[in-house]
Amino acid sequence: MLRAFFTGLGLLLVLIIAVAGFRGQKSSEPPIEIFPDMDHQPKVKAQVPSEFFADGRGNRLPVPGTVPVGYEMPQSGADPFPDEGKYRTVRFSAGTDYFNTGKFGTKWGTGIPLPVTAQLLQRGRERYTIYCGVCHGASGSGNGVTSQYGLVAIADLHQARLRDMADGEIFNTITHGKNTMLGYGANIPVDDRWAIVAYVRAIQLAGAATLDDVPPDERAKLEALPQP
Ligand code: HEC
């Protein structure tokens, strides 16, 4: 028993020396790699030439017009907010104030911290259509195109709970998402998030409107129309 153990131990030592012992020799052969992992990848390293591209550069130039994140977007055409120097199309959450979080301390706040103008609502409608309509639907009732492709339980923005919800909480849902809805804080600048909140308020108001909400003179005009 003991002899078998020592024979085994001796063989093991010989094996270890045979495999690991002669590492001092120099060799021009590539090393034997038992687990190459991802050591060799067909990729271009930074600042290295490449024959793949006609101009011989490995690094590609950015697409013309590329704007680095955090820089002011050059305005094409007329400034959409000439009167509102405060409005920024590139400004992401930075800070803990109401404007950036929708909260006062630990409580949701309510109110739109930008001048609520027709322009802001137009902007909100445009941004809502781009970012929210695909799921929540143009009218906010949760029947956007994704509902035809298997996305279930998209919130109907006209439910009483969401009509009564503080503006800040809706802002926060846009920023961070809620349950199965992902957040858009990294995609939609703060000002645009408030523009969307204002527009969501407008569609909620429209969804719950009654004839009494129509101003009297407008209502008279409607009633003067030939009734079907
Ligand atoms: C990819 C689909 C999708 C997009 C895009 C999307 N949502 Fe949602 N949203 C959902 C789903 C699904 C829920 C329900 C989440 C839950 O509570 O299970 C939801 C819930 C909500 C709620 C209710 C949150 C609560 O407290 O119950 C609000 C408000 C809302 N979304 C607003 C928006 C706004 C504004 C946008 C655009 C910036 C947007 N959503 C974009 C899918 C989406």
Side-chain angles (χ1 to χ4, degrees):
M1 182 69 204
L2 208 58
R3 184 194 275 178
F5 173 72
F6 280 115
T7 317
L9 193 68
L11 282 175
L12 190 68
L13 281 174
V14 170
L15 197 70
I16 290 173
I17 293 168
V19 173
F22 300 101
R23 294 173 49 130
Q25 285 168 328
K26 288 191 175 149
S27 163
S28 56
E29 296 298 310
I32 299 161
E33 285 180 289
I34 297 167
F35 299 112
D37 295 328
M38 293 176 73
D39 288 350
H40 308 284
Q41 300 166 28
K43 68 176 180 197
V44 179
K45 292 190 174 147
Q47 309 291 349
V48 164
S50 163
E51 286 169 11
F52 183 82
F53 296 105
D55 65 1
R57 282 193 252 220
N59 281 13
R60 308 312 301 151
L61 293 172
V63 175
T66 303
V67 179
V69 169
Y71 283 74
E72 203 61 33
M73 210 71 92
Q75 292 292 350
S76 57
D79 182 350
F81 294 96
D83 310 328
E84 283 152 30
K86 203 171 169 249
Y87 193 97
R88 291 279 174 280
T89 50
V90 183
R91 170 158 65 179
F92 291 93
S93 291
T96 54
D97 57 342
Y98 177 64
F99 179 71
N100 282 290
T101 62
K103 285 186 217 175
F104 287 108
T106 56
K107 297 238 186 326
W108 300 121
T110 208
I112 309 288
L114 286 171
V116 181
T117 57
Q119 262 177 331
L120 189 81
L121 287 172
Q122 280 291 1
R123 176 83 183 171
R125 172 156 70 180
E126 183 197 69
R127 299 289 114 179
Y128 175 92
T129 309
I130 292 170
Y131 289 106
C132 321
V134 283
C135 291
H136 290 283
S139 68
S141 46
N143 59 354
V145 70
T146 52
S147 63
Q148 293 166 25
Y149 293 91
L151 193 72
V152 291
I154 305 169
D156 174 358
L157 300 178
H158 297 284
Q159 31 181 315
R161 184 177 65 84
L162 299 182
R163 273 210 309 271
D164 296 340
M165 187 172 270
D167 296 331
E169 192 171 353
I170 294 181
F171 176 87
N172 184 74
T173 298
I174 303 176
T175 311
H176 298 295
K178 177 93 184 223
N179 302 331
T180 50
M181 176 183 150
L182 294 183
Y184 287 83
N187 309 83
I188 308 178
V190 177
D191 299 47
D192 281 346
R193 273 177 252 160
W194 286 116
I196 292 173
V197 175
Y199 183 67
V200 166
R201 288 315 191 196
I203 55 178
Q204 287 175 331
L205 201 65
T210 64
L211 202 56
D212 296 335
D213 293 310
V214 183
D217 47 337
E218 291 295 326
R219 199 172 150 176
K221 277 189 223 160
L222 284 176
E223 280 162 353
L225 291 173
Q227 301 297 317

